[in-house]
């Protein structure tokens, strides 16, 4: 496929998944609106239809809870989806909106990036009015993150469910699950080898081979974790003191650091002063990132909120401090080295979600090895911001080559480029557009 064909194909995929005011990630497998998906989609869409890109984000913020949270899923209407809505029952929380049904948890705060990327395409007066329109939502969201998810003022946001990280089955979460939080009845089902029964209730394994998804046992435990949150009406004050499944997630906090910088830019552009207390908390996050660094292994890790220890399971989140943009040049150079190293992330079709030398590494399993286009995009942005231009161009070209060869899939085998997960995946298509246009 040449560039022109790639661009046409990408636009076709987005059109096919367009639901007028928002875009579903993939028609059958993910029939709702997702937070960070919509942000990546808007980043691509801005090149072809900027108004539609703005609508994508405005549809997303209509789901904001009155306490400021933006949920990871905004559910589609329709009787066929009542099961999805009923699993979450957002109405159990007094903060949930009345007009839309949503999940009760959030996802990586990519909104500020998407807002600014759209802003960059607008002339100054339009940019200002766009920023003014979205600023209140963004400010409330960032304030909620600190108020609700950093109760001890440590600077690091705590996540209550792996889905909040956007990297559902990622090793640190699975390892925490196995250590502290596996419900006894799920262990029993595993022991009796009855976990195959879970397939009867799973949508994803009807569309994608089970070997490419979260295992049944983990999926069941994640589901049980949703029920625990729901029972406490998604109220973190009630959840956190007794939770054994809470993580200061590295990737999320890196994305937040960059998002905070964008929020400062947006506020400045429209002449707003961010509250001093928020500015201090933002600074604290940048400082606290250093606590997630482990000198012995030369990697960053997520930290368990339960044991307060680093969860020493490497994933591509170790590279994301490049995207955060707050680390020193030497450290950035070291991370760039991990990207090139063949025993870590330097595989044939990079960047694998888990490095080749991890015990978890499985080239096809959900967030435990495959290459994803959104995380490649984050890494490319990170490389660019540290001036690693050659590496950024190389990764961009390799990513586009992979998509041209294998299709607009959800993820890919980093060893041979085989497509995996859902076909015609929206953020793969949208970010293809962005990578081609930049
Ligand atoms: C999966 C992914 C998550 C994504 C969602 C919709 O849950 O792990 O990152 O947002 O699918 O595409």
């Amino acid at each position: 496929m040449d560039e022109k064909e790639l661009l046409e194909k990408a636009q076709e995929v987005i059109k096919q998944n367009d639901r007028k005011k928002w875009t579903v990630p993939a028609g059958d497998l993910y029939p709702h609106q997702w937070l960070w998906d919509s942000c990546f989609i808007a980043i691509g869409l801005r090149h072809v239809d900027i108004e539609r890109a703005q609508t994508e984000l405005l549809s997303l913020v209509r789901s904001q809870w009155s306490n400021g949270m933006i949920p990871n899923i905004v559910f589609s209407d329709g009787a066929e989806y009542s099961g999805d809505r009923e699993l979450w029952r957002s109405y159990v929380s007094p903060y949930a909106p009345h007009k839309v049904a949503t999940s009760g948890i959030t996802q990586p705060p990519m909104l500020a990036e998407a807002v600014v990327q759209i802003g960059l395409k607008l002339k100054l007066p339009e940019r200002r009015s766009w920023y003014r329109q979205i600023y209140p939502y963004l400010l409330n969201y960032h304030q909620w993150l600190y108020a609700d998810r950093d109760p001890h003022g440590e600077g690091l946001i705590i996540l209550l469910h792996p889905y909040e990280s956007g990297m559902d089955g990622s090793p640190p979460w699975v390892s925490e699950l196995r250590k502290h939080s596996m419900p006894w009845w799920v262990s029993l089902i595993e022991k009796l080898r009855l976990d195959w029964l879970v397939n009867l209730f799973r949508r994803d394994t009807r569309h994608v081979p089970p070997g490419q998804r979260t295992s049944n046992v983990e999926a069941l435990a994640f589901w049980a974790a949703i029920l625990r949150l729901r029972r406490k009406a998604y109220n973190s004050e009630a959840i956190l003191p007794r939770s054994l499944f809470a993580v200061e997630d590295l990737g999320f906090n890196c994305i937040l650091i960059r998002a905070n910088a964008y929020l400062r830019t947006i506020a400045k552009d429209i002449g707003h002063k961010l509250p001093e207390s928020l500015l201090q908390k933002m600074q604290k996050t940048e400082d606290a990132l250093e606590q997630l660094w482990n000198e012995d292994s030369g990697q960053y890790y997520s930290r368990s909120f339960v044991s307060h220890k680093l969860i020493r399971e490497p994933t591509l989140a170790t590279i994301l401090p490049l995207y955060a943009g707050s680390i020193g040049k030497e450290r950035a150079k070291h991370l760039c080295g991990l990207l090139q190293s063949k025993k870590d992330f330097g595989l044939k079709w990079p960047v694998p979600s888990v490095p080749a030398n991890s015990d978890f590494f499985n080239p096809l399993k959900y967030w435990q090895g495959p290459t994803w286009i959104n995380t490649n995009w984050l890494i490319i942005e990170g490389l660019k911001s540290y001036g690693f231009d050659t590496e950024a161009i190389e990764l961009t070209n390799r990513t586009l080559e992979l998509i041209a060869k294998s299709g607009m899939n959800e993820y890919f085998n980093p060893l041979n480029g085989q497509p995996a997960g859902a076909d015609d995946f929206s953020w793969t298509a949208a970010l293809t557009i962005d990578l081609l246009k930049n």
Side-chain angles (χ1 to χ4, degrees), residues 24-26 29-30 32-38 40 72-73 107-108 162-169 213-214 366-367 372 374 410-411 425-427:
V24 298
L29 185 52
Y30 305 108
H32 310 291
Q33 182 177 23
W34 264 262
L35 194 171
W36 76 333
D37 295 66
S38 272
F40 291 120
N72 74 327
I73 313 173
Q107 228 182 10
Y163 293 174
E164 294 199 300
S165 74
M167 306 185 197
D168 307 359
R213 305 304 286 184
T214 300
Y366 213 48
W367 292 111
W372 291 71
N374 66 328
E410 189 181 3
Y411 43 95
F425 193 67
S426 296
W427 81 38

Side-chain angles (χ1 to χ4, degrees), residues 118-343:
I118 290 175
L120 290 176
K121 286 254 158 199
L122 296 168
K123 295 215 179 73
L124 195 59
E126 285 92 44
R127 182 188 307 158
R128 288 219 172 106
S129 81
W130 165 238
Y131 284 174
R132 275 197 199 100
Q133 195 177 1
I134 211 101
Y135 176 75
Y137 299 102
L138 209 48
L139 176 62
N140 286 345
Y141 180 45
H142 284 235
Q143 285 194 305
W144 171 80
L145 281 169
Y146 285 105
D148 202 82
R149 297 304 186 80
D150 185 18
H152 307 318
E154 290 182 291
L156 294 169
I157 299 304
I158 302 160
L159 304 187
L160 302 177
H161 195 285
Y163 293 174
E164 294 199 300
S165 74
M167 306 185 197
D168 307 359
S170 188
W173 281 95
V174 172
S175 128
E176 279 298 281
L177 173 74
R178 297 249 168 220
K179 261 194 212 138
H180 309 289
S181 194
M182 191 60 102
W184 64 267
W185 54 272
V186 179
S187 302
L188 186 67
I189 288 175
E190 185 172 30
K191 218 171 177 175
L192 298 175
R193 293 174 190 258
L194 288 174
D195 46 297
W196 59 272
L197 279 166
V198 180
N199 277 325
L200 302 176
F201 303 97
R202 288 181 73 167
R203 179 191 287 137
D204 60 343
T205 48
R206 261 179 270 149
H207 295 282
V208 177
Q212 297 182 12
R213 305 304 286 184
T214 300
S215 75
N216 281 331
V217 167
E218 284 152 23
L220 202 56
F222 292 172
W223 175 79
I226 295 175
L227 300 193
R228 284 203 301 273
L229 300 178
R230 190 180 82 187
R231 272 202 294 278
K232 299 264 190 290
Y234 306 107
N235 171 3
S236 65
E237 267 180 44
I239 294 163
L240 269 176
R242 301 181 59 204
S243 179
L244 295 176
F245 201 32
V247 169
E248 292 169 335
D249 186 85
L250 172 60
F252 192 101
N253 280 285
C254 288
I255 292 173
L256 177 63
I257 290 174
R258 176 118 164 188
N260 283 338
Y262 284 131
L263 181 56
R264 288 193 296 263
T265 311
I266 294 171
K268 195 162 158 228
D269 276 12
I270 58 173
H272 271 262
K273 241 180 116 50
L274 286 170
E276 193 51 43
S277 60
L278 181 62
L279 289 169
Q280 282 171 10
K281 287 170 184 163
M282 290 175 166
Q283 182 56 47
K284 200 149 196 189
T285 307
E286 291 187 20
D287 301 341
L289 182 60
E290 205 44 33
Q291 296 168 25
L292 303 184
W293 170 255
N294 174 260
E295 186 65 37
D296 298 345
S297 56
Q299 303 239 13
Y300 285 94
Y301 295 110
S302 290
R303 186 163 72 182
S304 165
F305 181 64
V306 181
S307 67
H308 222 255
K309 292 206 173 100
L310 294 182
I311 309 166
R312 291 176 60 164
E313 293 296 348
T315 69
L316 66 65
T318 196
I319 312 287
L320 293 184
L322 279 183
Y323 176 75
S326 60
I327 57 170
K329 185 88 197 193
E330 272 310 301
R331 189 62 67 69
K333 219 174 178 175
H334 170 79
L335 298 182
C336 200
L338 287 180
L339 266 183
Q340 313 299 330
S341 142
K342 294 222 170 351
K343 62 181 186 16

Side-chain angles (χ1 to χ4, degrees), residues 379-391:
I379 292 169
I380 291 166
E381 286 298 305
L383 288 168
K384 282 199 281 193
S385 59
Y386 278 93
F388 298 120
D389 294 340
T390 317
E391 289 81 355

